[in-house]
């Protein structure tokens, strides 16, 4: 089962999470619902700047915790888990797994891996989404990813280069319709011969998101093909 949650359940999870945080216990939730209107956007050029986390391992190659079209380093103490949407998605009316469920699908990509920050002391996930090969460039894929998230706004897009790959990144604001609260989120995308890859960082709130950005920057700056 996927750690974390999305969709109409989000209000209950948010309340439960706040309660758990207040008592100093751990939990498994974060993030946001999706499928809705896209974000207004501004385009800029240059990569993300700031502190980079210490590497604790890597993902991507065969034999790693998550086999992906790209590889990158993961922050120390963050715990990765491969996600098999075809095996874990809910069963639809026809009796088959519904991999289009919003928990597993956002725009053109499907959830493939999530890296849990709780062992490192934060509440949130770095999630990796992959898609089928196509003609769309990284910017187009990333815009479709953000457009599929209901509540996304104020998106600022940039381009970047890392490990011989050219990609696009975005910073935006997610606003909960249930709680009327907003938080920052970030994502970057690249395209490969095996299809597009989107790496997304959410978090319980903007404070958690900010504390986890060094892990996100580590993944982006160590990005490479596998």
């Amino acid at each position: 089962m996927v750690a974390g949650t999305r969709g109409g359940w989000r209000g209950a999870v948010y309340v439960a999470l706040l309660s758990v945080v207040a008592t100093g216990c751990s939990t498994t939730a974060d993030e946001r619902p999706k499928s809705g209107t896209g974000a207004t956007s501004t385009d800029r050029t240059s990569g993300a700047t700031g502190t980079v986390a210490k590497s604790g391992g890597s993902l991507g190659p065969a034999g790693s915790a998550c086999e992906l079209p790209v590889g990158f380093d993961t922050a120390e103490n963050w715990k990765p888990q491969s996600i098999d949407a075809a095996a874990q998605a809910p069963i639809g009316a026809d009796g088959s797994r519904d991999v289009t469920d919003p928990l597993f699908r956002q725009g053109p990509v499907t959830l493939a891996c999530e890296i849990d920050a709780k062992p490192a002391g934060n509440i949130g996930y770095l999630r990796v989404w992959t898609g089928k090969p196509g003609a769309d460039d990284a910017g187009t894929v990333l815009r479709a990813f953000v457009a599929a998230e209901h509540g996304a706004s104020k998106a600022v897009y940039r381009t970047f280069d890392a490990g011989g790959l050219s990609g696009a990144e975005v910073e935006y604001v997610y606003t909960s319709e249930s709680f009327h609260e907003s938080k920052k989120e970030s994502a970057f995308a690249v395209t490969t011969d095996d299809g597009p890859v989107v790496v997304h960082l959410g978090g319980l709130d903007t404070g958690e998101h900010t504390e986890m950005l060094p892990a996100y920057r580590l993944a982006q700056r160590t990005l490479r093909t596998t």
Side-chain angles (χ1 to χ4, degrees):
M1 183 64 184
V2 178
T5 44
R6 298 174 188 271
W9 42 263
R10 187 177 186 278
V13 169
Y14 190 86
V15 171
L17 191 55
L18 290 179
S19 176
V20 169
V21 170
T23 58
C25 300
S26 62
T27 189
T28 56
D30 98 285
E31 322 282 304
R32 66 245 191 265
K34 40 188 181 320
S35 70
T37 58
T40 57
S41 65
T42 301
D43 289 285
R44 297 179 183 173
T45 303
S46 76
T49 60
T51 304
V52 176
K54 181 179 179 181
S55 175
S58 62
L59 296 178
S64 63
C66 296
E67 297 183 10
L68 304 165
V70 297
F72 58 84
D73 288 3
T74 56
E76 193 172 34
N77 296 323
W78 285 51
K79 183 179 180 180
Q81 177 184 358
S82 180
I83 304 298
D84 183 354
Q88 299 181 30
I91 298 175
D94 63 355
S96 63
R97 296 286 180 181
D98 181 13
V99 295
T100 65
D101 183 272
L103 179 62
F104 293 90
R105 183 83 179 174
Q106 182 161 322
V109 288
T110 300
L111 184 61
C113 179
E114 60 183 13
I115 308 143
D116 189 357
K118 286 194 296 299
N122 289 106
I123 301 174
Y125 295 87
L126 195 63
R127 286 190 166 111
V128 187
W129 306 71
T130 60
K132 295 181 179 179
D136 289 342
D137 61 17
T140 301
V141 170
L142 190 58
R143 288 175 184 275
F145 179 83
V146 175
E149 181 171 6
H150 187 67
S153 65
K154 301 179 181 179
V156 178
Y157 291 87
R158 302 179 180 88
T159 59
F160 72 93
D161 295 298
L165 295 165
S166 295
E169 64 175 323
V170 64
E171 297 174 353
Y172 62 98
V173 174
Y174 164 76
T175 301
S176 166
E177 290 188 350
S178 299
F179 293 92
H180 307 290
E181 295 182 355
S182 299
K183 62 183 178 118
K184 291 183 179 180
E185 302 201 356
S186 303
F188 66 80
V190 294
T191 55
T192 74
D193 291 342
D194 295 320
V197 178
V198 176
V199 178
H200 172 268
L201 177 67
L204 174 65
D205 53 30
T206 294
E208 291 285 338
H209 179 82
T210 300
E211 289 183 11
M212 295 186 293
L213 278 174
Y216 169 85
R217 296 188 190 109
L218 174 68
Q220 184 182 21
R221 295 186 189 181
T222 58
L223 197 65
R224 54 202 179 261
T225 56
T226 55

